[in-house]
Amino acid sequence: MLNELHDLAASLEGAGVRAMAWHRHFKPNPKPSLKSPVFLVFLDVEGNIQRIEPLTDRERTASIRKWEVANGLSFPSFNVAPLYQVSNAEEGRKRVAEFRKVLFKKSSLDSKSITATIQALINDGICLWVEKDKNKLSKCFQGVSKDVRDLLGQVPPEFMAVKELVNRTGSLETETFLNGLRSYFVDSLSEHPETAKDFFDALFFYPKNSRTKPGRITLILELADQSSFEFPANHSKTQAWMNERFLASEKSSSSTGADIDAYGKPLTGWKDKFPSSRLSTLGNVILRAMSKESPCQQRYRSIDAGSCPVGNESRKAMKRSLEWLAAHERKGQTWADVSSVSGGEKTPTVLFAYPSKLPQQLPAVAQLFAGPKGTSESQEALFAACAKRVADSLSGDHTSSFETVIRVFVLKKADTARTKLLYHGRYQTEHLLRSAKEWELGCQNTPTVKIRELGGDAEPIWQPLLTPFPAEVVWCLNTVWARHGTHAERTRNFSIGDGLNLLLDTRVQQEHQVSRALNVLVRQSASLLLAIGQAQNRNQFHRMPSSNTKQARLLPSILGLLLYKSGHRKGVYMHVSPFLIGRLLSLADQLHQQYCLKVRKGSMPSQLVGNALMPIALEQPTQALALLSQRILPYQAWARTVQGNDVGLVKFFLGEMGKLCNEFASLPLPEGCDDAAKAQMLLGYLARTERSDDSSAGKQTQVA
């Protein structure tokens, strides 16, 4: 990943893009959550707490930075535990939980009873601020704030608020601060019970069991009289100036040795820990972490920083590059969240993609790989439209289109501390555009297939197939359909890297993966495809889980794509036995449906004749045809003699079946089916003729 970020830094410099460089110790606050709330603590001129406000705006919280050299030693933000823990006795926990519910329901309790109850809970509780925590907080007040003051040096008038905050913080005493927090929380809960949701859990921690640990609370110091200053202490302009002073101070204190690092930059600081970047979705990402405890790191007789010496200048450039790449405003262009693709929604995973030569208008390369967020099906969110936008942007400068390289890498959060490089690759622009075009052609390698769905006015409509994005292919490959296509479960057979390989690798490289994907897709999706086919042959639509409805329009396209990459073109496979068997069984379903409507007065069995034989046909086509030749006889005899309305439709089905049987006469019948043949048969079963679609368009529909 270091090489990728080093190259990106060069690309940014070449494009004249100046990414913001933040000092490695000037870190953003974590975004608030229910387990780690954030509060703004306003100090008056004497350093006492005047008021406390909860800060629930996640973006605002993350935009406020703190100086933190060591874990837990920071300014002007720091993390603390709740003030009190209820005793571990079951009675005490129950008592607090019940009182909390009463407060949260905003019941009419008088302030005296609330104060008395809270005071009793405090007296029975245990103060969580032990001596160790108090000493650490004291270092934040007197030590860290003094370090910040020394690093900032002379403060200009517009940023005097931060100097004043340093002075007030330096005079804080831990016990006084603790008492101030407790008094404010108790008074707020007593006088304004409606604020209970904001302050109660910051005052009391009541563990569900002995293993539950208290969450941390973030406190951010600010001036109560901030309006007296041009910019508050935590204003973005104030913090930008502070960052410049921190960087300047570090630069002036660095040694000017002649040695260079692995990238030709000064070696200064090469033994320090690598900086971390806080990214949305991934959280903290350390650029490089080596451990001498891992024997494999000693293969080149060097360990830790010595295996790849990187100085501070190179590190800063890499950190800036990663943060620029992962900026929120470039979502869909240079990065995309693919956490849910591989079946692990709780495992944050991000795909990064960008051209080596940055154009003025960044192309949505990441979206071309990951697809749109959610289930959008607008024209702008389609694969063809996205591919065209990327092609127009990358092909704008014809002199450099062959020189531009598309860099792709995927980062996955291995655990809280570690981030894993899941995939990386470099591809010529021309190769990417050719691959995207071939991808489209492959997804069109299907017969006419339409999927019946509920429209916006709750009326069933016929929908065309969709061309999937690579991430959507992985999503479908990691979904197992069961219970006749009504239940979906997630697996982790494929990763986003597999989807990228299907798009970008050469035909020879893809051979094994295409074969594996085809096998998995046929096995895991046959249940759904057969349920969709039967519902449509019954003039109904198949109801499936709402979160997976899009797969009905993606799966046939993916089968066509995999067949295309296996060398099976629709102009050929639509005239071979497996496909024709699928068509024959579909027509048998439709003939059976007409028989039930006319002869059985609309009473239909749970399975039509063709659908019941499809599982057999997928394994033993000859046996399925033999069974069909027996079971179709009564419906065939009726169709030859039927009179009355809709006779044309019945005769049409009968005639189409006759044509297919004549075509079979010149073809060998397979004894078994490989995966490609099964895919062709499924597509044959789903294929629709214009006549059958038109004839059923106006009929009343039911939910399958």
Side-chain angles (χ1 to χ4, degrees):
M1 190 174 74
L2 294 184
N3 293 336
E4 301 293 341
L5 295 179
H6 175 264
D7 291 345
L8 176 57
S11 298
L12 292 173
E13 184 178 355
V17 177
R18 186 178 181 275
M20 182 66 178
W22 290 99
H23 194 284
R24 66 184 186 279
H25 295 317
F26 201 34
K27 306 172 183 178
N29 280 298
K31 293 182 178 180
S33 66
L34 293 176
K35 294 183 178 180
S36 56
V38 180
F39 297 94
L40 278 170
V41 179
F42 294 89
L43 304 179
D44 61 18
V45 292
E46 296 180 356
N48 298 319
I49 297 175
Q50 185 180 95
R51 70 180 189 277
I52 300 175
E53 295 179 0
L55 188 56
T56 57
D57 187 335
R58 293 171 58 85
E59 300 303 325
R60 166 65 177 146
T61 302
S63 69
I64 299 177
R65 292 180 173 263
K66 59 183 177 181
W67 178 261
E68 186 178 42
V69 178
N71 187 29
L73 298 178
S74 56
F75 173 86
S77 310
F78 39 85
N79 297 328
V80 297
L83 272 64
Y84 295 96
Q85 175 177 329
V86 179
S87 60
N88 290 329
E90 181 65 27
E91 182 180 349
R93 292 198 299 271
K94 185 177 180 180
R95 183 182 176 191
V96 174
E98 290 177 351
F99 179 60
R100 183 176 183 268
K101 287 181 180 179
V102 173
L103 282 178
F104 278 31
K105 290 180 180 178
K106 301 179 181 178
S107 302
S108 55
L109 295 175
D110 62 276
S111 60
K112 288 185 178 180
S113 62
I114 293 176
T115 302
T117 304
I118 292 176
Q119 194 58 52
L121 292 174
I122 290 175
N123 293 337
D124 293 340
I126 304 169
C127 182
L128 284 174
W129 287 26
V130 297
E131 200 64 31
K132 178 181 177 181
D133 296 319
K134 293 179 181 179
N135 291 337
K136 182 177 286 189
L137 195 59
S138 179
K139 291 179 182 178
C140 292
F141 291 159
Q142 282 86 37
V144 181
S145 62
K146 180 179 180 298
D147 294 340
V148 170
R149 182 191 63 193
D150 295 341
L151 291 170
L152 294 180
Q154 190 68 29
V155 181
E158 62 268 30
F159 302 125
M160 287 300 293
V162 69
K163 182 178 180 181
E164 181 63 21
L165 183 62
V166 168
N167 293 336
R168 295 182 190 181
T169 304
S171 63
L172 285 176
E173 296 292 337
T174 306
E175 288 294 340
T176 304
F177 188 75
L178 171 60
N179 293 333
L181 288 176
R182 179 180 58 217
S183 298
Y184 190 89
F185 289 153
V186 172
D187 292 345
S188 296
L189 293 173
S190 302
E191 299 172 11
H192 306 284
E194 66 274 8
T195 64
K197 287 188 177 181
D198 295 327
F199 298 121
F200 188 85
D201 291 337
L203 182 61
F204 293 111
F205 167 67
Y206 49 105
K208 295 181 179 179
N209 53 60
S210 58
R211 294 172 295 177
T212 306
K213 295 182 179 180
R216 307 301 287 179
I217 300 167
T218 300
L219 303 179
I220 304 176
L221 301 182
E222 183 55 274
L223 300 179
D225 54 338
Q226 56 182 304
S227 59
S228 303
F229 301 88
E230 185 171 351
F231 294 109
N234 291 297
H235 193 276
S236 58
K237 290 189 176 180
T238 304
Q239 297 209 318
W241 171 79
M242 293 171 65
N243 183 62
E244 291 179 1
R245 294 298 307 140
F246 293 148
L247 291 174
S249 176
E250 183 180 57
K251 187 174 182 180
S252 63
S253 62
S254 298
S255 59
T256 56
D259 293 336
I260 60 174
D261 65 6
Y263 298 98
K265 301 291 178 63
L267 194 59
T268 305
W270 69 281
K271 290 186 178 181
D272 297 339
K273 289 184 178 180
F274 265 79
S276 63
S277 296
R278 184 179 294 278
L279 310 180
S280 60
T281 304
L282 288 175
N284 273 341
V285 175
I286 301 175
L287 298 185
R288 183 170 184 260
M290 304 292 283
S291 173
K292 60 185 177 182
E293 274 74 28
S294 301
C296 65
Q297 305 299 346
Q298 303 185 29
R299 68 186 71 175
Y300 302 118
R301 298 185 179 179
S302 58
I303 199 68
D304 287 342
S307 62
C308 182
V310 184
N312 280 335
E313 187 175 338
S314 296
R315 296 181 182 193
K316 290 177 185 177
M318 294 172 184
K319 184 177 185 295
R320 289 196 303 268
S321 299
L322 182 59
E323 291 172 350
W324 178 89
L325 200 65
H328 180 73
E329 61 269 20
R330 279 177 278 280
K331 186 175 184 179
Q333 295 178 326
T334 60
W335 70 278
D337 183 358
V338 292
S339 303
S340 62
V341 168
S342 299
E345 290 85 349
K346 295 182 180 180
T347 307
T349 309
V350 175
L351 178 146
F352 297 93
Y354 58 95
S356 59
K357 292 191 175 182
L358 301 176
Q360 290 185 347
Q361 181 63 36
L362 277 172
V365 183
Q367 184 182 353
L368 181 65
F369 299 141
K373 189 66 176 176
T375 57
S376 173
E377 294 178 10
S378 65
Q379 290 297 319
E380 294 296 317
L382 297 180
F383 182 87
C386 183
K388 186 178 184 305
R389 291 195 300 272
V390 171
D392 291 344
S393 177
L394 294 176
S395 303
D397 183 6
H398 297 288
T399 60
S400 62
S401 61
F402 284 92
E403 302 172 12
T404 304
V405 174
I406 304 299
R407 300 171 181 144
V408 187
F409 63 96
V410 179
L411 298 182
K412 176 181 179 180
K413 204 68 176 175
D415 51 39
T416 304
R418 297 178 299 165
T419 305
K420 179 181 179 181
L421 181 63
L422 197 65
Y423 177 93
H424 69 93
R426 299 187 177 200
Y427 306 94
Q428 294 292 333
T429 299
E430 295 299 318
H431 175 73
L432 170 65
L433 300 183
R434 283 197 307 271
S435 298
K437 188 65 178 176
E438 186 175 351
W439 182 276
E440 289 184 63
L441 291 174
C443 292
Q444 295 166 7
N445 186 43
T446 63
T448 301
V449 177
K450 294 182 180 179
I451 304 299
R452 204 167 199 182
E453 295 180 347
L454 277 180
D457 55 355
E459 287 294 327
I461 57 175
W462 290 100
Q463 296 279 29
L465 298 181
L466 294 172
T467 298
F469 292 83
E472 290 178 329
V473 171
V474 178
W475 172 45
C476 293
L477 288 171
N478 284 334
T479 304
V480 181
W481 287 96
R483 302 175 194 172
H484 303 290
T486 60
H487 177 73
E489 292 186 0
R490 301 299 304 276
T491 64
R492 298 188 182 185
N493 293 324
F494 293 82
S495 70
I496 182 62
D498 296 318
L500 296 175
N501 288 336
L502 284 174
L503 172 66
L504 297 168
D505 279 358
T506 63
R507 187 65 57 83
V508 175
Q509 292 172 318
Q510 292 175 348
E511 185 175 349
H512 172 71
Q513 196 161 52
V514 167
S515 175
R516 173 173 168 251
L518 191 58
N519 174 268
V520 169
L521 194 66
V522 167
R523 283 190 292 105
Q524 296 183 172
S525 65
S527 172
L528 173 64
L529 295 176
L530 293 179
I532 292 172
Q534 173 171 249
Q536 296 180 168
N537 289 339
R538 294 164 68 109
N539 201 25
Q540 301 171 349
F541 68 91
H542 177 66
R543 188 180 294 277
M544 52 194 294
S546 58
S547 59
N548 297 91
T549 53
K550 193 176 182 181
Q551 288 200 18
R553 297 170 64 189
L554 294 175
L555 286 169
S557 296
I558 299 174
L559 287 176
L561 173 67
L562 295 176
L563 287 173
Y564 182 88
K565 289 183 174 292
S566 301
H568 300 279
R569 302 295 190 266
K570 67 178 181 180
V572 177
Y573 76 70
M574 288 176 64
H575 299 285
V576 298
S577 296
F579 180 86
L580 297 177
I581 291 173
R583 288 292 301 123
L584 182 63
L585 294 177
S586 177
L587 288 167
D589 272 354
Q590 295 171 79
L591 183 62
H592 189 186
Q593 186 252 3
Q594 290 294 312
Y595 176 85
C596 292
L597 287 176
K598 304 296 187 300
V599 178
R600 296 180 177 175
K601 308 302 182 184
S603 175
M604 294 191 191
S606 59
Q607 264 190 306
L608 297 175
V609 61
N611 188 265
L613 293 174
M614 272 296 293
I616 300 174
L618 289 170
E619 301 299 333
Q620 297 178 319
T622 306
Q623 182 181 350
L625 290 177
L627 291 171
L628 178 65
S629 66
Q630 299 172 13
R631 297 182 185 180
I632 200 67
L633 291 176
Y635 316 128
Q636 186 181 41
W638 165 79
R640 288 173 176 168
T641 60
V642 68
Q643 300 292 327
N645 297 333
D646 295 332
V647 65
L649 186 59
V650 174
K651 298 295 185 183
F652 170 75
F653 292 147
L654 192 62
E656 288 295 304
M657 292 180 70
K659 293 178 184 178
L660 287 175
C661 290
N662 289 334
E663 196 166 354
F664 274 128
S666 59
L667 295 174
L669 293 179
E671 292 295 330
C673 285
D674 58 14
D675 295 322
K678 291 177 182 179
Q680 295 164 16
M681 192 179 299
L682 288 170
L683 289 174
Y685 185 70
L686 292 171
R688 308 290 291 181
T689 62
E690 293 301 322
R691 175 68 181 273
S692 62
D693 283 348
D694 293 341
S695 301
S696 58
K699 291 187 178 295
Q700 185 177 2
T701 55
Q702 304 173 23
V703 177

